[in-house]
Amino acid sequence: MARVRIRLQAKLDVKLTAKAALDPGQIVQAALNLLDEVGLDGLTMRRLAEKLDIKAASLYWHVRDKDELIVLLADEICAAMQAPDPAMPWREQLQQFAEEYRRVLLSHRDAARVLAQSGPPSGESRLNLVEILLDVVLKAGFSPKDAAYAGFLMNDYVTTFVIEETRYVAPPKRQQPPDEATESWMDALPADKYPNIVALAPHWLNVNLDEQFHFGCEVIADGLERRLNR
Amino acid sequence: MARVRIRLQAKLDVKLTAKAALDPGQIVQAALNLLDEVGLDGLTMRRLAEKLDIKAASLYWHVRDKDELIVLLADEICAAMQAPDPAMPWREQLQQFAEEYRRVLLSHRDAARVLAQSGPPSGESRLNLVEILLDVVLKAGFSPKDAAYAGFLMNDYVTTFVIEETRYVAPPKRQQPPDEATESWMDALPADKYPNIVALAPHWLNVNLDEQFHFGCEVIADGLERRLNR
DNA sequence: ACCTGAACACCGTTCAAGT
DNA sequence: ACCTGAACACCGTTCAAGT
């Protein structure tokens, strides 16, 4: 009798208080939240487990590696990507793609670094993103090989740009005014040894990121167009 | 008497067997060797110390951080950089710069990643590298702002390209033939969902890296030239 | 001036064991 | 099927102490 009661009690415990088994979606969602809170360098298996009310070791039942987690994360980030209007001319589609891609990468902390770290595209959303990009360049009329090269070029341009532009947001320590620090560092440069750097320092500091991003897009699009007209 | 003898003995020990105090050059040189042996992920303060016959804690007398070490390393890598022939037309100088830069980055394991990780240029050699690049674009006739943007673009293109092209050399585990693995992975892709990726898969796999690198250089140079002629 | 011992506060990952 | 305890083999960094 006592035995039966104990068994029942255990079952009730399971139904009432035990957390339902995690599905993969919850894990990547928690990882994404954690990423936004602490950044890629703070994203830790142990911290993620804590966030899921679980022990770190348990994560390894759901996920092979931290690497695999990063891949999942990268895919989740890319899910927000929207295709450009296929009715537009290819140059504008490419431009639109680049802007949308940048927007997506800026929408989560360190997203661009996550993509860069997670190897070649493999998840559904990331493959879809690449598919969209290739669609634009193929329909523009590039040969398969040139389309592949152009796709790489454009993909790398956007991710690298965003990595650079977000590198110094939320510097880990000593929140000293960044432009002042950079300025004094620039002033210390010997102008006779690095005349060009010193001359261009103003553009180094007070950058208009949107403008700079657009510059690169335009240069690449112009270069691609030239190649097409041959 | 006994006391004097002991003192003398100690002095002899110092002269004969004690290692001379390290200079910074030895440290970065050892770090560079270690980098070539084990790659950036294996480059550890503890391992570096071991290589210098020292305890890890001692490194912090010579160097503030691991970050500072990485910066030193990046500068040492860039020391090999040679300027392009200033008599040539700017497009060829730019091309030459890019090829030389790539060569430098390929000459040490994970060199491109070291540069990417070590923040904005600060060391002498790295500043010199940037100075050379800016010289090319400024003399080509770009406005200061465009020259700054063009310099960023070119610098990021080369480093990112080399990071990508070296990402899968010396994969850490399971030395399974890479192209075979990639192929089977590609075959598993649903061709109706990702028709472009599947169609371009051959160019994804059997890449001619030199050709691909040249493609990007040409596209960027063409785009820059177009901007110049306005 | 330069180096060490010993510790601190972490990591990713494995694996036998629990339920 | 899913989770935990406990450990393993590491990290970067600090700091009092040695010489």
Side-chain angles (χ1 to χ4, degrees):
Chain A
M1 173 61 193
R3 237 168 151 186
V4 171
R5 231 186 127 219
I6 286 167
R7 283 237 193 105
L8 280 173
Q9 181 64 36
K11 283 206 174 175
L12 274 174
D13 268 8
V14 167
K15 286 218 167 173
L16 293 179
T17 71
K19 21 204 168 173
L22 301 156
D23 63 295
Q26 287 175 313
I27 293 180
V28 307
Q29 201 51 54
L32 199 53
N33 291 339
L34 186 55
L35 181 72
D36 282 328
E37 288 167 23
V38 298
L40 181 54
D41 296 329
L43 179 58
T44 266
M45 296 302 268
R46 293 171 127 102
R47 283 214 255 242
L48 175 58
E50 198 179 5
K51 205 153 179 116
L52 290 163
D53 270 316
I54 241 180
K55 301 298 170 186
S58 312
L59 279 172
Y60 290 83
W61 198 92
H62 300 275
V63 129
R64 189 204 314 263
D65 267 319
K66 187 178 183 184
D67 282 342
E68 186 177 300
L69 211 228
I70 299 286
V71 169
L72 262 28
L73 210 41
D75 208 56
E76 183 65 23
I77 289 164
C78 291
M81 185 76 190
Q82 287 195 302
D85 180 356
M88 286 178 143
W90 72 268
R91 281 198 54 142
E92 281 167 57
Q93 282 192 56
L94 198 62
Q95 176 69 31
Q96 218 176 300
F97 173 88
E99 270 162 14
E100 168 71 0
Y101 195 7
R102 179 172 172 234
R103 191 193 61 80
V104 166
L105 292 181
L106 287 173
S107 69
H108 287 105
R109 167 123 88 124
D110 285 338
R113 282 178 64 204
V114 170
L115 283 247
Q117 197 136 25
S118 63
S122 60
E124 190 184 343
S125 299
R126 254 195 109 179
L127 286 170
N128 191 52
L129 187 152
V130 175
E131 183 71 16
I132 290 169
L133 173 54
L134 293 181
D135 209 51
V136 174
V137 284
L138 277 172
K139 287 192 175 143
F142 286 100
S143 75
K145 197 207 278 181
D146 281 5
Y149 290 166
F152 261 112
L153 182 61
M154 202 61 200
N155 186 68
D156 285 355
Y157 171 67
V158 178
T159 47
T160 303
F161 187 92
V162 177
I163 289 176
E164 291 293 312
E165 78 172 311
T166 57
R167 170 157 288 165
Y168 298 109
V169 307
K173 317 261 159 146
R174 59 196 158 124
Q175 198 79 11
Q176 114 187 247
D179 43 10
E180 193 183 311
T182 316
E183 250 178 83
S184 65
W185 167 73
M186 280 288 179
D187 288 347
L189 282 187
D192 54 333
K193 225 179 156 190
Y194 309 109
N196 298 326
I197 295 178
V198 171
L200 267 50
H203 303 282
W204 229 266
L205 306 175
N206 256 337
V207 251
N208 181 337
L209 290 171
D210 291 339
E211 188 185 65
Q212 187 179 350
F213 182 69
H214 188 262
F215 176 93
C217 288
E218 208 175 55
V219 166
I220 291 174
D222 282 342
L224 290 176
E225 189 174 18
R226 164 105 196 264
R227 186 161 195 107
L228 208 53
N229 301 335
R230 275 219 236 142
Chain B
M1 173 60 191
R3 238 167 149 185
V4 171
R5 232 187 126 219
I6 285 166
R7 282 237 194 105
L8 280 173
Q9 181 65 36
K11 283 206 175 176
L12 275 174
D13 269 5
V14 167
K15 286 217 168 173
L16 293 178
T17 71
K19 24 209 165 168
L22 300 157
D23 64 293
Q26 288 175 312
I27 292 180
V28 308
Q29 200 52 53
L32 198 53
N33 291 339
L34 186 55
L35 181 72
D36 282 328
E37 287 167 24
V38 299
L40 182 54
D41 296 328
L43 179 60
T44 266
M45 297 302 267
R46 294 172 126 101
R47 283 214 256 244
L48 175 58
E50 198 180 6
K51 205 152 177 114
L52 290 162
D53 269 317
I54 241 179
K55 302 299 171 187
S58 312
L59 279 172
Y60 291 83
W61 198 91
H62 301 274
V63 130
R64 188 206 312 264
D65 267 321
K66 187 179 182 183
D67 282 342
E68 187 176 299
L69 211 230
I70 299 286
V71 169
L72 262 27
L73 209 42
D75 208 56
E76 181 66 23
I77 288 165
C78 292
M81 185 76 191
Q82 287 195 303
D85 180 357
M88 286 178 144
W90 72 267
R91 281 200 52 145
E92 280 168 57
Q93 282 192 56
L94 198 62
Q95 176 69 30
Q96 218 175 301
F97 172 87
E99 269 162 15
E100 168 71 359
Y101 195 6
R102 179 171 172 235
R103 191 193 62 78
V104 165
L105 292 180
L106 287 174
S107 70
H108 287 105
R109 168 122 87 125
D110 286 338
R113 282 178 63 203
V114 170
L115 283 249
Q117 198 135 25
S118 63
S122 61
E124 190 185 343
S125 299
R126 255 196 109 179
L127 285 170
N128 192 52
L129 187 153
V130 174
E131 183 70 16
I132 290 169
L133 172 55
L134 293 181
D135 209 50
V136 173
V137 284
L138 278 172
K139 285 191 176 145
F142 286 100
S143 74
K145 197 208 278 182
D146 281 6
Y149 289 167
F152 260 112
L153 183 60
M154 203 61 202
N155 187 68
D156 285 354
Y157 171 66
V158 178
T159 47
T160 303
F161 187 91
V162 176
I163 288 177
E164 291 292 312
E165 78 172 311
T166 57
R167 168 156 290 165
Y168 298 109
V169 307
K173 315 261 159 147
R174 61 197 156 123
Q175 197 79 11
Q176 113 186 251
D179 43 8
E180 193 183 312
T182 317
E183 251 178 82
S184 66
W185 167 74
M186 280 286 180
D187 289 347
L189 282 185
D192 53 333
K193 226 178 154 189
Y194 310 110
N196 298 326
I197 295 178
V198 170
L200 268 49
H203 303 283
W204 229 267
L205 307 175
N206 256 338
V207 251
N208 182 337
L209 290 169
D210 291 338
E211 189 186 63
Q212 188 180 350
F213 182 70
H214 188 262
F215 177 94
C217 289
E218 207 174 55
V219 166
I220 291 173
D222 282 343
L224 290 176
E225 189 174 19
R226 164 106 196 265
R227 187 160 195 108
L228 209 53
N229 301 334
R230 277 219 236 144

Coordinates of all heavy atoms in Angstrom, one line a residue, chain A residues 30-65:
Chain A
A30 N 16.8 29.9 -26.8 CA 17.5 30.3 -25.6 C 19.0 30.8 -25.9 O 19.5 31.7 -25.4 CB 17.6 29.2 -24.6
A31 N 19.6 30.1 -26.8 CA 20.9 30.4 -27.2 C 20.9 31.8 -27.9 O 21.8 32.6 -27.7 CB 21.5 29.4 -28.2
L32 N 19.9 32.1 -28.7 CA 19.8 33.4 -29.3 C 19.6 34.5 -28.3 O 20.3 35.6 -28.4 CB 18.7 33.3 -30.3 CG 18.6 34.4 -31.4 CD1 19.9 34.4 -32.2 CD2 17.5 34.2 -32.4
N33 N 18.8 34.2 -27.3 CA 18.6 35.2 -26.3 C 19.9 35.5 -25.5 O 20.3 36.6 -25.2 CB 17.5 34.7 -25.3 CG 16.2 34.7 -25.9 OD1 15.9 35.4 -26.9 ND2 15.3 34.0 -25.3
L34 N 20.6 34.4 -25.2 CA 21.8 34.5 -24.5 C 22.9 35.2 -25.3 O 23.6 36.1 -24.8 CB 22.4 33.1 -24.1 CG 23.6 33.0 -23.3 CD1 23.4 33.8 -22.0 CD2 24.0 31.6 -23.0
L35 N 22.9 35.0 -26.6 CA 23.8 35.7 -27.5 C 23.5 37.2 -27.4 O 24.5 38.0 -27.3 CB 23.6 35.2 -28.9 CG 24.5 35.8 -30.0 CD1 25.9 35.4 -29.9 CD2 24.0 35.6 -31.4
D36 N 22.3 37.6 -27.5 CA 22.0 39.0 -27.4 C 22.4 39.6 -26.1 O 22.7 40.8 -26.0 CB 20.5 39.2 -27.7 CG 20.1 39.1 -29.2 OD1 21.0 39.4 -30.0 OD2 19.0 38.6 -29.5
E37 N 22.3 38.8 -25.1 CA 22.7 39.4 -23.7 C 24.2 39.5 -23.5 O 24.6 40.5 -23.0 CB 22.1 38.5 -22.6 CG 20.6 38.6 -22.5 CD 20.0 37.4 -21.6 OE1 20.8 36.9 -20.8 OE2 18.8 37.1 -21.8
V38 N 24.9 38.4 -23.9 CA 26.3 38.4 -23.5 C 27.3 38.4 -24.7 O 28.5 38.4 -24.5 CB 26.6 37.2 -22.6 CG1 25.7 37.3 -21.3 CG2 26.3 35.9 -23.3
G39 N 26.8 38.3 -25.9 CA 27.7 38.2 -27.0 C 28.3 36.8 -27.3 O 28.1 35.9 -26.4
L40 N 28.9 36.7 -28.4 CA 29.4 35.4 -28.8 C 30.5 34.9 -27.8 O 30.5 33.7 -27.4 CB 30.0 35.4 -30.2 CG 30.6 34.2 -30.7 CD1 29.6 33.0 -30.7 CD2 31.1 34.3 -32.2
D41 N 31.3 35.8 -27.3 CA 32.4 35.3 -26.4 C 31.8 34.9 -25.0 O 32.5 34.2 -24.3 CB 33.4 36.5 -26.2 CG 34.1 36.8 -27.5 OD1 34.3 35.9 -28.3 OD2 34.5 38.0 -27.7
G42 N 30.6 35.4 -24.7 CA 30.0 35.0 -23.4 C 29.1 33.8 -23.6 O 28.6 33.3 -22.6
L43 N 28.9 33.4 -24.8 CA 27.9 32.3 -25.0 C 28.6 31.0 -24.7 O 29.5 30.5 -25.4 CB 27.5 32.3 -26.5 CG 26.6 31.2 -26.9 CD1 25.3 31.2 -26.1 CD2 26.2 31.3 -28.4
T44 N 28.2 30.4 -23.6 CA 28.9 29.2 -23.1 C 27.9 28.1 -22.9 O 26.7 28.3 -22.6 CB 29.5 29.7 -21.7 OG1 30.8 30.1 -21.9 CG2 29.4 28.7 -20.7
M45 N 28.4 26.9 -23.1 CA 27.5 25.8 -22.9 C 26.9 25.8 -21.4 O 25.7 25.5 -21.2 CB 28.2 24.5 -23.1 CG 28.7 24.3 -24.5 SD 27.4 24.3 -25.7 CE 27.0 22.6 -25.9
R46 N 27.7 26.1 -20.5 CA 27.3 26.1 -19.1 C 26.2 27.2 -18.8 O 25.2 27.0 -18.2 CB 28.5 26.3 -18.2 CG 29.5 25.1 -18.2 CD 30.8 25.4 -17.5 NE 31.1 24.4 -16.5 CZ 32.0 23.5 -16.6 NH1 32.6 23.4 -17.7 NH2 32.2 22.6 -15.7
R47 N 26.5 28.4 -19.4 CA 25.5 29.4 -19.2 C 24.2 29.1 -19.9 O 23.1 29.4 -19.4 CB 26.1 30.7 -19.8 CG 27.1 31.4 -18.8 CD 27.0 32.9 -18.9 NE 28.1 33.4 -19.6 CZ 29.1 34.2 -19.1 NH1 29.0 34.5 -17.8 NH2 30.0 34.7 -19.9
L48 N 24.3 28.5 -21.1 CA 23.1 28.2 -21.9 C 22.3 27.1 -21.1 O 21.1 27.2 -21.0 CB 23.5 27.6 -23.3 CG 22.3 27.1 -24.1 CD1 21.3 28.2 -24.3 CD2 22.8 26.6 -25.4
A49 N 23.0 26.2 -20.5 CA 22.3 25.2 -19.7 C 21.6 25.8 -18.6 O 20.4 25.5 -18.3 CB 23.3 24.1 -19.2
E50 N 22.3 26.7 -17.9 CA 21.7 27.4 -16.8 C 20.4 28.1 -17.2 O 19.4 28.0 -16.5 CB 22.7 28.4 -16.3 CG 22.4 28.9 -14.9 CD 23.5 29.9 -14.4 OE1 24.4 30.3 -15.3 OE2 23.5 30.4 -13.3
K51 N 20.4 28.7 -18.3 CA 19.2 29.4 -18.9 C 18.1 28.4 -19.1 O 16.9 28.9 -19.1 CB 19.6 30.1 -20.1 CG 18.8 31.3 -20.4 CD 19.5 32.4 -21.2 CE 18.5 33.5 -21.5 NZ 18.7 34.7 -20.9
L52 N 18.4 27.2 -19.4 CA 17.4 26.2 -19.7 C 17.0 25.4 -18.5 O 16.3 24.4 -18.6 CB 17.9 25.3 -20.8 CG 18.0 25.9 -22.2 CD1 18.8 25.1 -23.1 CD2 16.6 26.1 -22.8
D53 N 17.5 25.8 -17.3 CA 17.3 25.1 -16.1 C 17.7 23.6 -16.2 O 16.9 22.7 -15.9 CB 15.8 25.1 -15.7 CG 15.5 26.3 -14.8 OD1 16.3 26.6 -13.9 OD2 14.5 27.0 -15.0
I54 N 18.9 23.5 -16.5 CA 19.5 22.2 -16.9 C 21.0 22.2 -16.5 O 21.5 23.2 -16.3 CB 19.3 21.9 -18.4 CG1 18.4 20.7 -18.7 CG2 20.5 21.8 -19.2 CD1 18.1 20.5 -20.1
K55 N 21.6 21.0 -16.4 CA 23.0 21.0 -16.2 C 23.7 20.9 -17.6 O 23.2 20.4 -18.6 CB 23.4 19.8 -15.4 CG 22.7 19.8 -14.0 CD 23.1 21.0 -13.2 CE 22.3 21.1 -12.0 NZ 22.6 22.3 -11.2
A56 N 24.9 21.5 -17.6 CA 25.6 21.6 -18.9 C 25.7 20.3 -19.6 O 25.6 20.2 -20.8 CB 27.0 22.2 -18.7
A57 N 26.0 19.2 -18.9 CA 26.1 17.9 -19.5 C 24.9 17.5 -20.3 O 25.0 16.8 -21.3 CB 26.5 16.9 -18.4
S58 N 23.7 17.9 -19.8 CA 22.5 17.5 -20.5 C 22.4 18.0 -21.9 O 21.8 17.4 -22.8 CB 21.3 18.0 -19.7 OG 21.5 17.7 -18.3
L59 N 23.0 19.2 -22.2 CA 23.0 19.7 -23.5 C 23.5 18.8 -24.6 O 23.0 18.8 -25.7 CB 23.8 21.0 -23.6 CG 23.1 22.3 -23.0 CD1 24.1 23.4 -23.0 CD2 21.9 22.6 -24.0
Y60 N 24.4 17.9 -24.1 CA 25.1 17.0 -25.1 C 24.2 15.9 -25.5 O 24.6 15.0 -26.3 CB 26.4 16.6 -24.5 CG 27.4 17.7 -24.5 CD1 27.4 18.6 -23.5 CD2 28.3 17.9 -25.6 CE1 28.3 19.7 -23.4 CE2 29.2 19.0 -25.6 CZ 29.2 19.8 -24.5 OH 30.0 20.9 -24.5
W61 N 23.0 15.8 -24.9 CA 22.1 14.8 -25.4 C 21.3 15.4 -26.6 O 21.0 14.7 -27.5 CB 21.1 14.4 -24.3 CG 20.4 13.1 -24.6 CD1 20.8 11.9 -24.2 CD2 19.2 13.0 -25.4 NE1 19.9 11.0 -24.8 CE2 19.0 11.6 -25.5 CE3 18.4 13.9 -26.1 CZ2 17.9 11.1 -26.2 CZ3 17.3 13.4 -26.8 CH2 17.1 12.0 -26.8
H62 N 21.2 16.7 -26.6 CA 20.4 17.3 -27.7 C 21.3 17.8 -28.8 O 20.8 18.0 -29.9 CB 19.7 18.5 -27.1 CG 18.7 18.2 -26.0 ND1 17.4 17.8 -26.2 CD2 18.9 18.2 -24.7 CE1 16.8 17.6 -25.1 NE2 17.7 17.8 -24.1
V63 N 22.5 18.0 -28.6 CA 23.4 18.6 -29.5 C 24.8 18.0 -29.4 O 25.2 17.6 -28.3 CB 23.5 20.1 -29.2 CG1 24.9 20.7 -29.1 CG2 22.6 21.0 -30.1
R64 N 25.4 17.8 -30.6 CA 26.7 17.0 -30.5 C 27.8 17.9 -29.9 O 28.5 17.4 -29.1 CB 27.1 16.7 -32.0 CG 28.3 15.7 -32.0 CD 29.1 15.8 -33.3 NE 28.2 15.8 -34.4 CZ 27.9 14.6 -35.1 NH1 28.5 13.5 -34.8 NH2 27.1 14.7 -36.2
D65 N 27.8 19.1 -30.3 CA 29.0 20.0 -30.0 C 28.5 21.4 -29.7 O 27.4 21.7 -29.9 CB 29.7 20.2 -31.4 CG 30.8 19.2 -31.6 OD1 31.5 18.9 -30.6 OD2 31.0 18.8 -32.7

